[in-house]
Amino acid sequence: MPAPPTITPAASADGVRTVRFDHRPGAAQPPAPVVAVPSGATVELVVGSDVAERVALRGYGWSRYVTAGSTVSLRFVVNRPGELVVTIGDPAVELGRLRVG
């Protein structure tokens, strides 16, 4: 399996870095990407899904339900170095990681 890509999102005019992950069950899934963000950055995490599932951001204690065909979002400041894992469903499927550094 190839290594996951590392992405560094650019900050928008207001300084927010938008990171989006999508869940398409049944479709071929590429390796979960790793998104590099600097410590102290404001991140807008957006997760879309074709099915209703629970989305979680491990390391921040955040979870919400996304409805089928919709998105759920969270805006927060990353202030702890390390990796945060974004998952969906039960059992959890990894959608991607935020690498804070």
Side-chain angles (χ1 to χ4, degrees), residues 59-85:
Y60 269 71
W62 176 85
S63 70
R64 296 287 185 278
Y65 282 90
V66 61
T67 58
S70 187
T71 62
V72 64
S73 64
L74 169 67
R75 183 177 284 203
F76 64 104
V77 175
V78 289
N79 54 11
R80 289 181 246 160
E83 285 193 348
L84 305 171
V85 180

Side-chain angles (χ1 to χ4, degrees), residues 7 44 51 82 94:
I7 303 161
E44 179 83 22
V51 296
E94 183 177 325

Side-chain angles (χ1 to χ4, degrees), residues 9 23 25 34 47 64 73 75 86 88 93:
H23 180 60
V34 176
V47 177
R64 296 287 185 278
S73 64
R75 183 177 284 203
V86 180
I88 191 166
V93 173

